[in-house]
Amino acid sequence: MDMEAKEVAGHNEPDNAWFTTHGKVYNETEYLRDHPGGADILIEAAGTGATEAFDNAGHSKDAREMMESFLVGTLKGYRPKKPRNRPSRARTPPVSNDSDRGVLELRHQGVPGREADERIHGEAQRRRRGPLQGPPGAPCGTGTASAGGSGMVAGGTGITPMFQVIRAMCDDDRDLTRASLIYANRTEQDILLREELNSLARRYPGNPDVYYVLHHPPEDWPHGKGRVTEDLMRERLPAPEPDTRIMLCGPPGMLKAARSSLVDLGFEQPVAAARMTDQVLIF
């Protein structure tokens, strides 16, 4: 179904949010609550062409495939612009924290053969300066001296914000939070920050409590196998108490399943633009 740009422009409210990317028209109204980058980013783009902003955000293949469920038509008269040479971009949360004075450390897990990842690697080797943008979404901190439980579910590179929170907890002697982490990956080689996580676990026995899950584990794998299920979260994460906080970061498919399971376990319905008073926080 072909649509005029002026028709798309009329869908520019939080309860009626459409936008276009690469000549396709999407109705993202139902996704505002669940968008990992926060609802405000989508609301700002409502009724407009968002191709450049979408590409600059570094969306994954899973995110692009998921968008097809929100497709409502094509933009009439759309002509793709000639590609411009520009620096490669990636969404890469830092793993350093406030105690690392004068240091900002980023971890990017690339895939061999993926053109964008190879460009990023090459640019990092050739130069020492580059632009930074963000952070997207609603700001939140860890607080201090909390006696409640903190549960975390991370997938792939979604471990980076969790590592920041865990490290901040461990570095603060006043923080009494008990952290439980479920960290899922496809293979053992995909585990990011494993040495650093294990080091923290040795220095602070039992906190964090780290449980690895692999979709394709080796034969002698001592931890979880398969997917992050509702039963696993019930077993490894703290119960839904008023002072419990659950944090999620990972691929869209994992986030969708985890949100549903947490609600079934008795937690509040999570939202994307999280506040520190929310029981479930999505990074």
Side-chain angles (χ1 to χ4, degrees):
M1 177 178 177
D2 283 348
M3 299 181 183
E4 299 281 355
K6 62 181 180 180
E7 180 181 355
V8 178
H11 299 270
N12 59 359
E13 300 292 337
D15 60 350
N16 184 18
W18 293 17
F19 68 86
T20 68
T21 65
H22 296 285
K24 295 183 178 181
V25 183
Y26 298 93
N27 180 355
E28 295 283 355
T29 308
E30 295 182 2
Y31 189 55
L32 294 180
R33 183 185 62 190
D34 299 326
H35 183 233
D40 291 344
I41 296 175
L42 294 184
I43 293 173
E44 183 179 350
T48 70
T51 298
E52 184 172 359
F54 179 83
D55 289 345
N56 289 345
H59 288 91
S60 66
K61 179 181 178 182
D62 288 341
R64 293 174 183 270
E65 291 177 351
M66 185 178 62
M67 283 186 61
E68 294 306 306
S69 63
F70 303 109
L71 181 66
V72 294
T74 56
L75 186 64
K76 189 174 181 179
Y78 170 77
R79 293 181 180 179
K81 295 182 179 180
K82 184 178 180 180
R84 296 181 297 169
N85 292 327
R86 64 179 68 187
S88 300
R89 300 170 184 257
R91 295 186 64 176
T92 307
V95 296
S96 52
N97 65 14
D98 292 346
S99 65
D100 299 320
R101 299 297 182 184
V103 175
L104 176 64
E105 182 179 353
L106 306 173
R107 294 289 180 94
H108 176 73
Q109 187 176 39
V111 177
R114 182 189 292 171
E115 182 180 353
D117 288 339
E118 291 185 351
R119 287 203 306 267
I120 290 170
H121 179 70
E123 290 172 5
Q125 289 184 319
R126 289 194 300 270
R127 65 187 189 186
R128 301 178 63 183
R129 294 184 179 183
L132 294 177
Q133 183 181 22
C140 60
T142 62
T144 184
S146 170
S150 177
M152 305 176 185
V153 180
T157 55
I159 189 60
T160 49
M162 308 303 182
F163 179 76
Q164 280 188 297
V165 173
I166 291 172
R167 186 179 166 195
M169 291 176 181
C170 293
D171 287 348
D172 188 348
D173 294 336
R174 300 168 297 169
D175 197 322
L176 306 178
T177 307
R178 305 296 295 180
S180 300
L181 167 66
I182 299 174
Y183 181 22
N185 283 279
R186 292 184 61 81
T187 69
E188 188 172 9
Q189 290 71 32
D190 294 328
I191 300 176
L192 193 64
L193 294 169
R194 184 179 187 180
E195 182 177 342
E196 290 85 347
L197 287 168
N198 291 342
S199 176
L200 288 174
R202 288 192 297 267
R203 287 166 53 194
Y204 307 94
N207 190 34
D209 176 25
V210 182
Y211 188 75
Y212 299 101
V213 179
L214 295 182
H215 192 58
H216 299 291
E219 292 184 3
D220 57 348
W221 180 246
H223 300 282
K225 303 175 183 179
R227 300 183 182 276
V228 178
T229 64
E230 183 176 319
D231 288 340
L232 178 61
M233 286 190 282
R234 180 186 294 109
E235 176 186 349
R236 307 295 307 190
L237 300 181
E241 301 293 342
D243 57 352
T244 298
R245 295 293 180 270
I246 303 295
M247 287 164 260
L248 307 176
C249 190
M254 189 200 79
L255 291 181
K256 182 178 180 180
R259 289 194 301 264
S260 177
S261 295
L262 288 170
V263 172
D264 291 342
L265 291 174
F267 289 93
E268 298 173 355
Q269 177 70 43
V271 298
R275 300 162 297 180
M276 278 308 297
T277 54
D278 292 343
Q279 204 172 35
V280 180
L281 310 175
I282 301 176
F283 292 91

